[in-house]
């Protein structure tokens, strides 16, 4: 499932093709994905110019001139790819099984850049948990986005803010970090990674790092820093894979990561001198990977 860094990678990949381009034609090849497409979906976008492509949590937000704001979510298996719109095959080898299955190409945006270059931006989603909706007003007031917490990117999330979000919370730290009303777009993988970097147990009570004591203040600082760095490192590795994909099949948003703990059950803890092993436990029905020796 794409997490925030993948969505940000998709945004950065789409930006040079979409921003400033005109939507010459928009094809929705079925009536729905996870939700029905908005009424007059193609009609309301066709002929309009895309002014900006942003992101909030895991939502892509596409602004068009004098039109609705398009909110896209990749769901479990959604991906975009870019092809030259000259009906020739994209050069390079299709190493991505995903993009071969054109049966799952559900939306095709035919775009023309300001310089006249034609491209197809194709949304492929085998499991169809993705969706596209319109926001008529400011997208942040849309019901999907209205209750979202702080972004884990940039400098907004610091130790003081994190402590204020977690103060008095009795839930396990991992569960609190997954609560989208507190921090938006942080998913299962990066929570495990951030807790390992911060040397904090996923099982400890969330409020324990939000106490006035110096130790708690250091812990909340460490965790805020770990969250920001784990996300920014993943975005940076997405950026390098973006350049690779551009030269192959044009698929955006899925790339190989190297994780310290995620999916590494039984392996030695990678922290120098720790000597512990990575365990997998279930929390709220989801896997958590951590090292009980160095994460306290
Ligand atoms: Zn360890």
């Amino acid at each position: 499932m794409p997490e925030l860094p993948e969505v940000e990678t998709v945004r950065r990949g789409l930006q040079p093709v979409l921003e400033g381009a005109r939507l010459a034609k928009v094809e929705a090849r079925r009536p729905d994905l996870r939700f029905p497409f908005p009424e007059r979906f193609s009609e309301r976008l066709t002929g309009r110019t895309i002014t900006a492509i942003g992101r909030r949590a895991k939502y892509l937000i596409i602004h068009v001139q004098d039109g609705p704001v398009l909110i896209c979510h990749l769901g479990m298996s959604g991906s975009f790819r870019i092809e030259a719109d000259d009906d020739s095959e994209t050069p390079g080898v299709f190493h991505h099984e995903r993009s071969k299955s054109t049966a799952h190409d559900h939306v095709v945006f035919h775009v023309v850049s300001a310089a006249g270059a034609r491209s197809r931006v194709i949304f492929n989603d085998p499991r169809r948990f993705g969706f596209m909706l319109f926001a008529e007003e400011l997208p942040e007031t849309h019901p999907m986005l209205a209750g979202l917490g702080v972004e884990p990117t940039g400098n907004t999330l610091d130790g003081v803010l994190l402590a204020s979000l977690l103060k008095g919370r009795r839930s396990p730290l991992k569960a609190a970090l997954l609560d989208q009303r507190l921090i938006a777009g942080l998913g299962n993988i990066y929570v495990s990674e951030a807790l390992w970097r911060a040397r904090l147990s996923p099982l400890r009570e969330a409020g324990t790092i939000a106490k006035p004591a110096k130790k708690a203040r250091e812990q909340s600082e460490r965790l805020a820093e770990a969250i920001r760095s784990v996300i920014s490192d993943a975005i940076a590795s997405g950026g390098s894979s973006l350049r690779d994909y551009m030269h192959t099949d044009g698929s955006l948003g899925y790339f190989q990561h190297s994780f310290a703990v995620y999916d590494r059950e039984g392996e030695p803890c990678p922290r120098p001198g720790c000597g512990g092993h990575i365990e997998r436990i279930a929390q709220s029905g989801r896997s958590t990977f951590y090292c009980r020796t160095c994460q306290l």
Side-chain angles (χ1 to χ4, degrees):
M1 180 179 349
E3 291 211 25
L4 188 150
E6 286 83 355
V7 179
E8 177 59 21
T9 301
V10 171
R11 190 192 73 78
R12 292 179 186 190
L14 292 177
Q15 198 167 30
V17 179
L18 289 185
E19 272 187 8
R22 189 173 58 84
L23 289 159
K25 190 165 120 188
V26 178
E27 295 174 62
R29 294 181 170 172
R30 42 178 302 121
D32 56 16
L33 294 169
R34 180 154 132 208
F35 307 121
F37 283 101
E39 277 185 41
R40 300 167 55 229
F41 176 73
S42 304
E43 195 185 326
R44 293 192 63 192
L45 295 173
T46 301
R48 307 212 180 266
T49 298
I50 295 171
T51 52
I53 170 161
R55 178 191 58 75
R56 175 76 169 104
K58 286 167 53 170
Y59 300 88
L60 290 169
I61 299 176
I62 301 175
H63 297 264
V64 298
Q65 201 157 33
D66 302 322
V69 176
L70 178 60
I71 300 175
C72 296
H73 196 282
L74 301 174
M76 306 281 286
S77 60
S79 65
F80 281 97
R81 68 180 197 276
I82 299 164
E83 296 177 358
D85 200 359
D86 58 1
D87 287 326
S88 67
E89 284 294 306
T90 308
V93 183
F94 284 95
H95 69 257
H96 247 287
E97 199 58 38
R98 178 176 293 107
S99 48
K100 276 187 195 166
S101 45
T102 54
H104 302 297
D105 288 350
H106 301 310
V107 185
V108 183
F109 299 96
H110 297 260
V111 298
V112 185
S113 75
R118 291 178 170 272
S119 314
R120 279 188 298 261
V121 174
I122 299 159
F123 181 70
N124 180 289
D125 188 1
R127 298 183 65 181
R128 299 203 305 268
F129 281 103
F131 54 83
M132 294 190 189
L133 299 171
F134 285 157
E136 305 295 338
E137 309 287 332
L138 291 172
E140 41 289 14
T141 62
H142 189 276
M144 288 281 178
L145 306 181
L148 291 175
V150 62
E151 284 279 322
T153 51
N155 293 323
T156 318
L157 184 67
D158 60 12
V160 174
L161 177 58
L162 184 61
S164 75
L165 294 171
L166 299 179
K167 191 164 184 253
R169 292 194 181 261
R170 310 289 306 270
S171 54
L173 184 52
K174 188 203 177 195
L177 295 177
L178 283 176
D179 186 341
Q180 301 297 301
R181 294 165 300 179
L182 302 180
I183 303 173
L186 204 53
N188 201 43
I189 294 173
Y190 294 103
V191 167
S192 281
E193 293 293 304
L195 286 168
W196 179 81
R197 285 193 189 192
R199 306 192 308 278
L200 292 169
S201 169
L203 297 165
R204 67 152 63 217
E205 201 176 290
T208 57
I209 67 161
K211 299 225 153 93
K214 184 160 177 268
K215 190 177 175 193
R217 288 207 311 275
E218 284 168 0
Q219 288 168 332
S220 59
E221 283 297 336
R222 216 158 69 209
L223 182 55
E225 167 56 28
I227 291 168
R228 291 200 314 265
S229 70
V230 91
I231 295 287
S232 65
D233 289 355
I235 291 172
S237 75
S240 52
S241 81
L242 199 58
R243 287 187 289 278
D244 296 342
Y245 285 132
M246 285 308 198
H247 292 110
T248 53
D249 67 355
S251 292
L252 300 172
Y254 291 81
F255 43 93
Q256 287 300 313
H257 291 287
S258 56
F259 297 120
V261 290
Y262 186 80
D263 215 13
R264 291 189 178 275
E265 185 180 10
E267 293 183 26
C269 173
R271 197 184 316 279
C274 168
H277 284 80
I278 308 305
E279 287 177 51
R280 180 168 67 143
I281 55 167
Q283 286 183 288
S284 322
R286 308 197 60 188
S287 290
T288 300
F289 296 88
Y290 85 115
C291 169
R292 71 164 71 212
T293 308
C294 64
Q295 289 180 252
L296 304 172

